[in-house]
Amino acid sequence: MALTLEEMTAVGAHQKGHFRLSSGLHSGDYLQCAIYLADPVRAGRVGEELAAAIRSAGLAPDLVVSPALGGVIVGHETARALGVPFLFTERQDGVMTLRRGFALAPGQRVVIVEDVVTTGKSTREVVDVIGTAGAEVVGLASMVNRSGDPNPFAPVPYRALLEVVFPTWRPEECPLCAEGMPVVKPGSRPVA
Ligand code: ZN
């Protein structure tokens, strides 16, 4: 695929170290798509590549839907490249819903675009929002697939520009803790 981990590393969107993730797990890798997408030229290229992957999968969506905030930049750029409208979902009181004022028409064909798919759980909430509106999710696409599964949404088609799996550990099993390496929250200075 056209996006490589080396490219993400080169711009600081992938970092090596010893990180405490928001889940509480530890990892030697940290990936933040927003850092890569901070350059609008790079974001535009990601959108073009995702649009090409969507077209080559035989999908011709009526619109793109992404979850805020993480999916908005990449979804917007993909919709621009496909020449279709872009809508987004957001969490209101913990419930995934279409942004106020947005509407889907029954039968509309939707591709969901994400920055990163990790477990696919939040993406499935978006699938449910679209289904509830009577529209159809014809495919999904993301910049990065970290799930370890080539398609966690099968049988619905799914494409990613980069597949990568980083090991994570519980603190008591973490080899980096065992080495005595200070652990940091991603984006912060060492805390230990
Ligand atoms: Zn650790």
Side-chain angles (χ1 to χ4, degrees):
M1 278 295 176
L3 180 66
T4 65
L5 190 59
E6 290 70 25
E7 276 179 89
M8 298 196 71
T9 307
V11 301
H14 168 244
Q15 295 161 25
K16 300 289 282 184
H18 182 196
F19 302 104
R20 184 188 297 116
L21 307 179
S22 53
S23 61
L25 297 175
H26 289 195
S27 177
D29 296 87
Y30 177 63
L31 191 71
Q32 177 54 273
C33 288
I35 295 170
Y36 191 86
L37 296 168
D39 177 346
V41 174
R42 285 198 299 259
R45 187 172 65 86
V46 166
E48 284 166 13
E49 288 172 4
L50 282 170
I54 289 164
R55 286 198 198 95
S56 69
L59 303 173
D62 297 314
L63 72 167
V64 168
V65 175
S66 298
L69 285 166
V72 166
I73 293 171
V74 67
H76 183 269
E77 292 300 322
T78 303
R80 185 209 300 270
L82 288 168
V84 301
F86 170 71
L87 305 182
F88 60 90
T89 65
E90 61 185 1
R91 251 178 233 290
Q92 286 177 5
D93 301 324
V95 179
M96 193 70 86
T97 180
L98 271 182
R99 169 78 172 177
R100 191 182 316 134
F102 284 160
L104 290 165
Q108 278 187 313
R109 292 164 301 154
V110 175
V111 166
I112 296 172
V113 174
E114 282 268 24
D115 56 347
V116 57
V117 167
T118 305
T119 64
K121 187 168 172 286
S122 62
T123 310
R124 285 191 195 88
E125 294 176 65
V126 181
V127 171
D128 290 343
V129 168
I130 293 164
T132 301
E136 183 188 0
V137 177
V138 296
L140 305 98
S142 70
M143 191 174 159
V144 180
N145 175 11
R146 298 182 59 170
S147 72
D149 180 344
N151 186 354
F153 311 106
V156 181
Y158 167 60
R159 295 291 185 276
L161 298 185
L162 172 65
E163 285 189 33
V164 65
V165 177
F166 299 122
T168 56
W169 308 280
R170 289 183 293 165
E172 58 271 27
E173 298 170 334
C174 174
L176 302 173
C177 283
E179 287 173 20
M181 188 178 182
V183 63
V184 299
K185 269 178 71 177
S188 66
R189 291 164 165 278
V191 293

